[in-house]
Amino acid sequence: MCGIVGYIGFKDAIPILMEGLKRLEYRGYDSAGIATISDNGVQIYKKAGKVAELSKYIEANGISSQMGIGHTRWATHGEPNDVNAHPHTDCTETISVIHNGIIENFSTLKKKLEQNGHIFKTETDTESLAHLIEEMLKHTPDLFTAVRLALNEVEGTYGIAVISKNEPDKIITARKGSPIVIGIGENENFIASDAAALISHTRQVVYLEDGEIACITKDGFYTKTIFDEEIKKQVEEITFDLEQIEKGGFDHFMLKEINEQPETLRNALRGRVLTDEGTSKLGGLSEVTDVLMNARRFIITACGTSWHAALVGKYMLEQYAKIPVDVEYASEFRYRDPVIYKDDVVFLISQSGETADTLAALKKAKSAGAHVLGLVNVVGSTIARESDAGIYIHAGPEIGVASTKAFTSQLAVLSLITLMMARKRGMSQADGRQVVRELLKLPEKVNKILKDINQIQQIADTFYSHGNFLYLGRGYNFPVALEGALKLKEISYIHAEGYPAAEMKHGPIALIDNEMPVVVIATKDSTYEKILSNIQEVRARRGRIIAIANEDDDHIHKLAEHVIRIPHTLDFLMPILSIIPLQLLSYYIAVKRGCDVDQPRNLAKSVTVE
């Protein structure tokens, strides 16, 4: 996984490449590098560490060029160091390659290439592609054709950019399972793995599809398939603004994105609720409404935070729409032999719309004849384009690696789907109106939680040095416990586990002592009395209880050492509120521990490899 950026035109490429890499650093930050072409041939500059290290290195060397490619890496093959950093070259250092993805047959390719005399210098799979292109150039003088032929030998996933000192007026780019977007300018053109890298230069973009390859010059571009079939691409427009991907005065992107949730919830709901009718209207699903209503069951497949949203969605849809719902890890779904019927509907949830495992699940579901619906954030992403229909969550660019606003927006959209189907399956208009009223109140209720953070900061000060946390929830708040634990693990590196509260006594209770913080989501819902019993069990073992409770709960403070109060709402909407203090708690603990909140170690934002 990585960030890719490229430029060819009339300006100095170096500032453009470095700006792009900074914007893409959230996608990978083990190492970074650029390659340019000058009178001396291909010049490569790369360093382990973050983009700032590369910037220092480049400033010390004082380089300039009117074309180049850049890369920020999240390591898959080979440890993150200067040698393994991209770009990579062939034996003659004529060409330079950057690559996002995994070349699964690189060992076979490497062995064959070594037999042909090629000498490898790195531990990466990407280097095999550089040598393979070099080999193809023995049979064709054209870089575009050489890259195209090389890709026909490759198994796996890739988003690539290739330059050659023999053809310094072009960049070759291609994709399969890893995003590539071309930015269109005047007498200049761009490439990137994410439109965020291009937004300050152009809004006109073209998205490559799997199996497509493009040649970019300063004056234009042309595209083919890797099988040499000519294709024409449609130019689209970037819809988000530059300020949406800036910190806006916050110390970290994660804190900014937590605080954006009142607005992102409004965006998810805007134009989609019908107050008088007590229902929702989802334009992205209008053509498949009958398919939804006649489905045998729903399968929701996702990874990480999106999987937790899917679990909440399962509870909603089964309770109110009365349809069976299976929730699957996409990484497992793709490799086993699941039973999929043609009248199943498969939902795919992904913030980026590029998650490799979820994309593979999409293809598996399609091949079985099921209807495939996407629930994604990034407009124009692969899942959005390849799904039969779908809904955007409209959370805006999410830069912090630990997902926050995308999670609550996913829950809001799942609530809208549930409401729409429930009304068609017997929910009364009066009940529907109540749901709509509560949905529309959510942004202000979230805003109220965000304004009262002093106690959360104090709890973080108390527990930041503890090495283990347990999160407990029941019903709709069980997935919230999972998500709260994940947030803490991701950004503070504290071991944390989320559990259904009733399952605690079947194992985890053995861990509880006076050093164990136990976060219990104890809102006043249908499981409230049961969760109080679970709290008593923790108290009996002297656990340190941190409770998330409703404002009108006059009893909980007698049982918990710390109580974080949140407003009340309908049970199935409560996760949208109960997750907010857990996001903040994780954030302030990570800050107190001195962790890199936005770019936690070993993680990347968009998981485009297996």
Side-chain angles (χ1 to χ4, degrees), residues 72 314 362 392 456:
T72 180
K314 169 185 171 70
L362 181 152
Y392 287 117
I456 297 173

Side-chain angles (χ1 to χ4, degrees), residues 466 508-518 538 541-545:
H466 287 246
I509 199 168
L511 300 172
I512 296 175
D513 58 19
N514 60 2
E515 290 297 315
M516 173 68 84
V518 181
V538 174
R541 278 82 184 172
R542 302 178 66 192
R544 309 282 300 276
I545 299 167

Side-chain angles (χ1 to χ4, degrees), residues 25-73:
E25 192 170 24
Y26 71 101
R27 298 178 74 98
Y29 36 86
D30 291 337
S31 58
I34 65 170
T36 64
I37 295 179
S38 67
D39 293 340
N40 296 322
V42 175
Q43 304 294 313
I44 292 178
Y45 304 85
K46 55 185 185 177
K47 293 292 289 184
K50 297 195 173 181
V51 173
E53 297 301 315
L54 177 65
S55 293
K56 295 175 188 175
Y57 184 51
I58 288 173
E59 287 172 9
N61 284 273
I63 61 171
S64 66
S65 175
Q66 291 184 326
M67 71 93 70
I69 54 177
H71 184 275
T72 180
R73 180 179 185 238

Side-chain angles (χ1 to χ4, degrees), residues 170 233 385 388 417 474 478 498 505 575 584:
K170 62 186 64 170
K233 302 297 293 183
R385 297 196 308 274
D388 297 324
I417 296 170
R474 298 186 76 129
F478 158 52
K505 56 184 173 288
L584 289 165

Side-chain angles (χ1 to χ4, degrees), residues 140 159 169 176 226-227 293 302 435 440 462 466 530 545 604:
T140 175
D169 60 342
K176 180 184 177 185
I226 63 170
F227 306 113
M293 298 308 299
V435 171
L440 295 175
T462 301
H466 287 246
K530 296 296 183 183
I545 299 167

